[in-house]
């Protein structure tokens, strides 16, 4: 019988999403949180989300909402959540000392056949697994928010992670319908944030130098580059934009090089440009309307993920 037990440690935004993704495939999910009332809130929220997804026809998997919710249990005992689990997905706040402590606790009770998977957005796996007796089972599985609609998971090993653990983690992520990418080693920012920061750096300079205003620079992504990047990666985009990648490089290498050479040093994201950009953004989306705009974004992502499935 395959081991279907999943332990979720930390029941905030990301912990809830993981719980739903695993339950959609019938995994037996055990959610632990340091705050007992947070578990209650999380379970109620998950139940509501699953019902809404069912009503709108967005529910993943073959089970109905009630069956999926029945796969998820809350517990105030860490051991109950993690002992002999197939995989433990840690989703506690982004604080290195806290993550070290939480993993030490998991390590003491989990067992050596359990994959130790962290949702960290920023920390190298090696910085909070070196002290574990089962560190060979440790890996980062970094999701993108909201994971229910944006399937990418960055799988990043520590130097001591067993290749079999990286492989099995990828298989599990793919089984629950996520899109896994496997890193050969840890690197700051993984890939999502490295690429995001490269775009953000150039965007900052274009606004700071008065070349484009905030509303217009954002259209460069939302109504330009972003439209094709929702379907094709950057490399395949270039491949299609010429008669193949080799021709693309033949044709554009000099231009790419001479434009890129002009790139300015990395901005520090401080000074009057911060408030100038904030002011223009807030004129369009005031701070008290962020929630409404996020809800709209999630609706858009639902439609986009449907379209991607159809294509
Ligand atoms: P969150 O603040 O919503 O939830 C954190 C939860 O952890 C809370 O329920 C809290 O009570 C619980 N917690 C705190 N200490 C604990 C402990 N010792 N043991 C068990 N539970 C504990 O945070 P989040 O946004 O869900 O982020 C969790 C992780 O996911 C972070 O590492 C973050 O970097 C990563 N992540 C977040 C996003 C995002 O967009 N929010 C995206 C990708 C990855």
């Amino acid at each position: 019988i395959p081991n279907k037990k999943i332990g979720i440690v930390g029941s905030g935004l990301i912990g809830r999403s993981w719980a739903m993704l695993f339950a959609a495939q019938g995994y037996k999910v055990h959610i632990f949180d340091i705050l007992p009332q947070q578990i209650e809130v999380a379970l109620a929220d998950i139940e509501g989300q699953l019902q809404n997804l069912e009503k709108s026809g967005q529910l993943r998997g073959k089970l109905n909402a009630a069956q999926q919710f029945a796969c998820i249990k809350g517990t105030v005992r860490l051991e109950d959540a993690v002992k002999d689990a197939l995989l433990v997905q840690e989703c506690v706040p982004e604080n290195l000392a806290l993550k070290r402590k939480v993993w030490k606790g998991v390590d003491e009770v989990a067992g050596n056949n359990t994959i130790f998977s962290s949702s960290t957005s920023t920390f190298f796996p090696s910085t909070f697994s070196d002290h574990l007796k089962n560190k060979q089972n440790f890996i980062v599985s970094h999701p993108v928010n909201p994971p229910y609609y944006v399937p990418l998971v960055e799988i990043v090993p520590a130097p001591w992670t067993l290749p079999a653990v990286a492989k099995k983690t990828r298989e599990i992520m793919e089984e629950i319908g996520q899109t896994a990418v496997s890193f050969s080693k840890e690197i700051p920012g993984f890939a999502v944030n490295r690429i995001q920061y490269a775009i953000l750096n150039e965007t900052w300079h274009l606004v700071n130098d008065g070349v484009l205003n905030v509303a217009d620079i954002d259209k460069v992504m939302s109504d330009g580059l972003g439209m094709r990047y929702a379907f094709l990666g950057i490399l395949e985009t270039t491949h299609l934009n010429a008669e193949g990648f080799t021709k693309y490089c033949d044709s554009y290498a000099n231009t790419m090089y001479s434009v890129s050479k002009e790139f300015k040093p990395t901005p520090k994201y401080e000074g009057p440009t911060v408030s100038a950009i904030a002011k223009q953004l807030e004129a369009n989306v005031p701070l008290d309307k962020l929630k409404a705009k996020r809800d709209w974004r999630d609706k858009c992502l639902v439609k986009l993920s449907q379209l991607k499935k159809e294509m």
Side-chain angles (χ1 to χ4, degrees):
I1 312 158
N3 182 355
K4 296 286 267 182
K5 176 174 176 176
I6 299 289
I8 305 285
V9 179
S11 65
L13 183 71
I14 294 299
R16 295 172 201 187
S17 295
W18 279 119
M20 289 163 58
L21 291 171
F22 282 108
Q25 300 308 321
Y27 278 98
K28 303 295 170 214
V29 180
H30 299 257
I31 303 183
F32 168 81
D33 201 286
I34 195 87
L35 302 173
Q37 70 274 27
Q38 177 78 343
I39 301 172
E40 298 308 315
V41 174
L43 289 172
D45 178 38
I46 288 170
E47 188 171 24
Q49 286 195 56
L50 290 172
Q51 284 165 354
N52 287 337
L53 287 163
E54 183 164 68
K55 266 185 227 139
S56 61
Q58 309 297 327
L59 193 67
R60 290 203 188 189
K62 295 195 175 70
L63 305 172
N64 68 31
Q67 289 166 328
Q68 293 190 21
F69 186 62
C71 290
I72 305 175
K73 302 262 177 295
T75 175
V76 292
R77 288 187 66 223
L78 179 64
E79 184 171 359
D80 293 344
V82 305
K83 192 170 170 30
D84 297 327
L86 172 65
L87 178 145
V88 171
Q89 187 70 36
E90 167 267 309
C91 317
V92 304
E94 195 72 353
N95 171 315
L96 193 61
L98 174 68
K99 287 197 189 278
R100 287 184 70 84
K101 194 180 92 186
V102 165
W103 276 112
K104 184 85 196 132
V106 174
D107 193 36
E108 273 156 21
V109 291
N112 60 10
N113 276 322
T114 297
I115 295 174
F116 289 6
S117 172
S118 173
S119 304
T120 183
S121 310
T122 58
F123 301 135
F124 272 23
S126 61
T127 59
F128 59 112
S129 60
D130 54 289
H131 59 317
L132 306 179
K133 61 177 192 254
N134 291 308
K135 65 182 183 179
Q136 74 284 354
N137 291 350
F138 194 88
I139 196 141
V140 163
S141 303
H142 172 231
V144 181
N145 198 39
Y148 208 83
Y149 307 114
V150 184
L152 188 73
V153 181
E154 296 182 295
I155 299 188
V156 187
W160 41 77
T161 306
L162 290 173
V165 167
K167 183 167 170 279
K168 180 71 187 164
T169 306
R170 183 181 175 120
E171 284 166 12
I172 295 169
M173 293 302 156
E174 288 174 346
E175 188 199 347
I176 63 170
Q178 300 304 88
T179 304
V181 294
S182 300
F183 286 64
S184 64
K185 60 173 185 175
E186 44 190 21
I187 174 169
F190 311 145
V192 166
N193 280 325
R194 286 181 87 88
I195 293 171
Q196 176 159 259
Y197 296 156
I199 295 170
L200 198 53
N201 291 344
E202 190 49 29
T203 299
W204 170 281
H205 286 306
L206 288 171
V207 174
N208 194 40
D209 295 347
V211 178
L212 284 170
N213 67 24
V214 165
D216 281 4
I217 189 92
D218 270 357
K219 286 179 196 145
V220 171
M221 290 303 292
S222 63
D223 284 353
L225 294 171
M227 293 203 58
R228 50 192 192 205
Y229 291 162
F231 299 92
L232 297 170
I234 178 77
L235 290 175
E236 206 169 21
T237 295
T238 60
H239 194 55
L240 300 186
N241 276 1
E243 293 308 310
F245 186 69
T246 308
K247 279 264 167 48
Y248 186 91
C249 292
D250 285 349
S251 311
Y252 301 112
N254 286 339
T255 312
M256 286 191 284
Y257 185 72
S258 62
V259 171
S260 307
K261 237 176 27 181
E262 300 301 314
F263 284 169
K264 294 192 165 173
T266 309
K268 289 200 165 145
Y269 296 95
E270 58 190 23
T273 303
V274 173
S275 43
I277 292 179
K279 206 170 143 204
Q280 287 186 60
L281 287 169
E282 286 166 33
N284 191 26
V285 184
L287 296 179
D288 62 352
K289 297 278 186 311
L290 286 174
K291 161 103 180 54
K293 189 80 188 197
R294 278 188 205 115
D295 291 346
W296 176 83
R297 173 202 64 190
D298 289 353
K299 271 201 196 122
C300 295
L301 290 172
V302 170
K303 294 232 162 171
L304 183 61
S305 61
Q306 277 170 339
L307 179 60
K308 279 174 69 85
K309 278 192 199 111
E310 283 164 25
M311 300 300 291

